[in-house]
Amino acid sequence: MSVLPRPSTDASVADAEAADCTEAEVIRATLAGDSHAFSNLIRLHHRRVYNFLYQMTRQHQDAEDLAQQTFIKAYHNLARFEPHRPLINWILTIARNTALNHFRAAKKWDEIPHDTAASEPSPARTAETRDQSENLWGRARTILSRREFEILWLRFAEELSTEETARVVGLTETHVKVIVFRARQAMLKGASQL
Amino acid sequence: MSTSTSHPPRLVCRLVRRWAAVGGNPEARSLGSHHIAHCPDCARFFAAVQTLDFSLKRDAARYSAPIPTGLEERITRAVQRSTVAGVPSVNSQRSGARRTSFAFGTIALAGVAAAVLAVVFLPKPVTPSSEVAPRGVLVNTTPSAGVEPLGNRFWNSLPSSASEVLNRNPLEEEAAAVYADAQSAVRFLAMNFLPAAATASGRRLSDG
């Protein structure tokens, strides 16, 4: 089971292999009923899950609440985890679905618009853009739709493959590639207009 | 990072760029590679894409949200609380659900079977109270002294019109009704069209 990126040095490779063994052992221990073993998985992945949820919600408290719900669901559904997939990708899938359910319940968010660019930015958003103009992701948030931003984040910030990104968001690989292509075009076009 | 914006990209360039993004068959791939190698606009475009990808990865760390203090402990406590608060644990969740659904299914099946048996096999009582015996009755039972069988109670609860239909002769009733109508018609004709002597004899017919 591949969980952590494998660095080039021998010592780091050994550490990564140890981490792989540790995660597999932790999953086995958790399925055997050891709830304390799951805390090791939380230690490994809580930052990435929280960050991903914060990018979706832009609210610290919501991101933390949803992160808790995500790990609770992961703990109680660990038996359904497919060992050939990286565990973090499975957890990110749960996180995304948890966030979508939260938005639907709160009625704060319509369905993610399909491949549509953001409308005219509000004055608050314009100010945010000015502050973050040096950071591409700040610009991406104003230029791209929610879906485009989410997929771009999974591909380049979380560094998931196209296949894994498609599994997390529930789309086909081709669809993800098309969305990434359009997002890149929009970013390049926005950069040329600055 | 910017690409040339002095003129819009040609159609072949747009097609090649889209193909490169979503992939294509090997033959198209070779044609696209040949175009990219000889088109300055496409070469600039793909160079800009590479730079953009690198910048996105580089800036992701700076754009990430600061992790709140104590987040890991709070998440761990929340997971532990969920196992204590009666939420099914990992081991028992699936097997418990299976046991519960099996029990409910068995009880429901037993109830349906009991209802079918009660309807099919309960005996139907026969009460020969009319001159014409009902037809189609297969079972004849006599209640024991002081105790009314369950079957009798069930069949006695049927609407009374059903037993009445079984006991009378509809054909005989219909014939009697037709005869009565004919008598009335003859009487009417006799009273209105016949002489007085014939009318009196018609009255005697109706009396007889």
Side-chain angles (χ1 to χ4, degrees), chain A residues 17-151:
Chain A
E17 286 176 352
D20 285 351
C21 294
T22 301
E23 189 164 288
E25 289 168 1
V26 166
I27 292 175
R28 270 196 294 273
T30 304
L31 289 174
D34 183 1
S35 62
H36 294 288
F38 195 71
S39 61
N40 292 324
L41 292 179
I42 296 174
R43 181 175 308 119
L44 279 173
H45 301 304
H46 74 281
R47 288 186 187 82
R48 288 180 70 177
V49 172
Y50 172 82
N51 196 22
F52 174 70
L53 289 168
Y54 178 75
Q55 299 304 329
M56 291 188 76
T57 62
R58 304 300 292 173
Q59 300 285 340
H60 288 286
Q61 191 56 53
D62 285 350
E64 179 168 341
D65 293 343
L66 293 174
Q68 288 186 13
Q69 292 177 35
T70 297
F71 279 101
I72 289 172
K73 288 180 186 178
Y75 174 76
H76 290 288
N77 292 282
L78 200 57
R80 298 182 186 177
F81 168 63
E82 300 167 7
H84 61 274
R85 286 185 68 192
L87 182 64
I88 181 58
N89 299 347
W90 181 70
I91 296 177
L92 286 176
T93 305
I94 297 175
R96 180 180 183 270
N97 294 334
T98 304
L100 290 178
N101 291 337
H102 165 74
F103 288 131
R104 289 194 191 105
K107 297 182 183 176
K108 284 183 188 177
W109 193 18
D110 296 332
E111 282 296 326
I112 299 175
H114 289 273
D115 306 333
T116 57
S119 57
E120 284 291 324
S122 64
R125 184 166 280 186
T126 305
E128 183 184 353
T129 305
R130 259 201 313 276
D131 295 339
Q132 296 177 341
S133 61
E134 293 303 318
N135 191 302
L136 274 176
W137 289 105
R139 205 179 315 149
R141 187 168 288 283
T142 60
I143 294 174
L144 304 178
S145 69
R146 291 181 193 273
R147 170 165 283 180
E148 289 170 344
F149 182 91
E150 177 191 11
I151 289 176

Side-chain angles (χ1 to χ4, degrees), chain A residues 31-33 36 43 50-51 54-55 58 64 68 75-76 80 135-138 141 156-157 177-178 181 184, chain B residues 17 21-22 53 55-57 59-60 63-68 71-72 74 80 82-83 88 90-91 93-94:
Chain A
L31 289 174
H36 294 288
R43 181 175 308 119
Y50 172 82
N51 196 22
Y54 178 75
Q55 299 304 329
R58 304 300 292 173
E64 179 168 341
Q68 288 186 13
Y75 174 76
H76 290 288
R80 298 182 186 177
N135 191 302
L136 274 176
W137 289 105
R141 187 168 288 283
F156 296 102
K177 289 177 183 176
V178 170
F181 172 72
R184 281 172 173 155
Chain B
R17 294 172 191 179
V22 300
D53 291 354
S55 301
L56 286 172
K57 292 179 184 176
D59 288 356
Y63 196 69
S64 297
I67 304 298
L71 175 68
E72 179 189 344
R74 288 194 290 277
Q80 288 172 349
S82 73
T83 61
V90 173
N91 285 338
Q93 182 178 13
R94 286 190 157 191

Side-chain angles (χ1 to χ4, degrees), chain B residues 65-80:
Chain B
I67 304 298
T69 307
L71 175 68
E72 179 189 344
E73 288 75 21
R74 288 194 290 277
I75 292 175
T76 304
R77 278 201 299 273
V79 171
Q80 288 172 349

Side-chain angles (χ1 to χ4, degrees), chain A residues 139 185-194, chain B residues 1-5:
Chain A
R139 205 179 315 149
Q185 277 197 313
M187 293 288 293
L188 290 173
K189 184 179 176 184
S192 66
Q193 288 173 349
L194 285 177
Chain B
M1 188 192 302
S2 63
T3 60
S4 167
T5 58

